Amino acid sequence: MSTNDLKTIAIFGGTSDIAYGCLLQWLEKDNLKVILIGRNRNSLKAIVDDLSIRHPFSIFEYLTLDFNQITAIKSLTSNLFKSHCVNIVLLAHGSLSDQQKCQSDLDYCESEIITNGLSTCIITESVSLAFKIQGSGTLAVIGSVAGDRGRKSNYTYGAAKSLVEKYTEGLQHRFYNTPINVILVKPGPTESKMTNHLLHTPSKLSKITDVAKIIVKGIEKNKQTIYAPRKWYVIMLIIKFLPKFIFQKLNI
């Protein structure tokens, strides 16, 4: 197989633990052309150097991007699709907001909403335009179960992820019955760099490998929404439909 025949996967948030887990799942099955996109050049280079040694028949590149700069997003996306026929785009960038800090530091609050919500929406729109010109492609957007209902423990992060969910739903409606697939991924709490501070809490965190397998399988089946693990669909369904007079009394 020539390099031109390799499936191409681009990952926004190339240093994300969940995205890396998904990438390892894909690389177990196929040789690929992979473009990792992130803020930190050194971290991206380290990942690419490591993967290039372990998977010598795949091709790895990295690009840096300020996810909060609309002009930079437009330029990178345009150049990316001019240079490659991209099969899958995975959006995985973000940060887990400190809710207490959001309540006392409005600059931080604004930054978290932009990073976790607005910038993701802008990237999805830019990628969607590129897929439309290309004629096909799969866009998988990592949101969160936190977007299912506003809760006092994480409502800034949850509100941003709710924006991502509604935006993704709109794209799904727009591209229904076309060669462009749009998928929303909703992981529950997962062991990663983002959740290191939660490792000693009573809540059980899912393993990256388990979550990645569910995501990759869901993308292969073109599921509209992927809860990872599946149990979070049931948990959040209960939380979403709890009557307000009961919900308000819960410490969640």
Side-chain angles (χ1 to χ4, degrees):
M1 179 184 290
S2 72
T3 57
N4 291 331
D5 295 327
L6 295 178
K7 179 188 289 185
T8 299
I9 297 177
I11 299 176
F12 287 80
T15 60
S16 155
D17 288 338
I18 291 180
Y20 184 75
C22 292
L23 182 54
L24 293 182
Q25 294 293 319
W26 279 313
L27 286 168
E28 282 184 6
K29 302 175 182 180
D30 294 299
N31 296 320
L32 302 168
K33 187 182 292 183
V34 177
I35 301 103
L36 300 180
I37 302 159
R39 297 177 187 271
N40 190 311
R41 182 182 301 274
N42 291 335
S43 297
L44 291 168
K45 184 178 185 301
I47 294 171
V48 165
D49 288 346
D50 177 61
L51 289 173
S52 297
I53 294 170
R54 291 198 282 143
H55 299 276
F57 298 107
S58 291
I59 297 173
F60 301 95
E61 303 174 14
Y62 67 89
L63 301 168
T64 57
L65 174 67
D66 182 344
F67 294 109
N68 295 349
Q69 292 294 325
I70 294 177
T71 302
I73 291 169
K74 288 167 59 179
S75 176
L76 183 142
T77 306
S78 176
N79 291 332
L80 173 65
F81 278 79
K82 284 178 183 176
S83 305
H84 304 87
C85 178
V86 183
N87 303 98
I88 297 174
V89 172
L90 176 63
L91 264 63
H93 83 283
S95 63
L96 187 59
S97 309
D98 180 334
Q99 183 56 48
Q100 294 298 316
K101 187 174 180 181
C102 285
Q103 292 164 204
S104 60
D105 184 341
L106 295 184
D107 290 329
Y108 173 75
C109 183
E110 178 189 40
S111 176
E112 288 299 292
I113 292 172
I114 291 173
T115 296
N116 291 306
L118 182 60
S119 70
T120 299
C121 294
I122 297 300
I123 294 170
T124 61
E125 196 63 65
S126 185
V127 170
S128 296
L129 175 60
F131 272 145
K132 185 176 180 182
I133 294 170
Q134 180 176 276
S136 65
T138 295
L139 170 61
V141 183
I142 295 185
S144 172
V145 297
D148 283 7
R149 188 167 189 176
R151 292 171 287 136
K152 64 182 179 181
S153 61
N154 65 356
Y155 60 83
T156 303
Y157 179 76
K161 292 302 185 182
S162 181
L163 169 62
V164 170
E165 176 173 356
K166 295 307 176 188
Y167 209 94
T168 304
E169 286 179 356
L171 288 172
Q172 289 172 339
H173 193 194
R174 174 184 168 192
F175 290 112
Y176 175 72
N177 205 26
T178 76
I180 298 170
N181 305 314
V182 182
I183 297 166
L184 176 64
V185 180
K186 303 178 80 169
T190 304
E191 287 185 7
S192 67
K193 294 187 291 288
M194 283 177 61
T195 57
N196 279 340
H197 63 292
L198 300 176
L199 290 176
H200 302 294
T201 64
S203 59
K204 183 173 176 57
L205 303 179
S206 299
K207 301 289 185 184
I208 286 283
T209 303
D210 297 335
V211 170
K213 285 180 179 177
I214 294 168
I215 293 171
V216 168
K217 187 175 181 180
I219 291 174
E220 288 173 353
K221 292 184 174 181
N222 192 27
K223 289 188 174 181
Q224 292 280 286
T225 304
I226 303 168
Y227 279 85
R230 176 67 177 175
K231 68 179 183 181
W232 283 100
Y233 170 76
V234 178
I235 292 170
M236 297 313 298
L237 189 67
I238 293 169
I239 290 176
K240 278 196 294 185
F241 288 102
L242 275 176
K244 203 159 193 175
F245 74 92
I246 296 176
F247 177 79
Q248 300 286 41
K249 297 175 183 178
L250 299 179
N251 187 27
I252 59 174

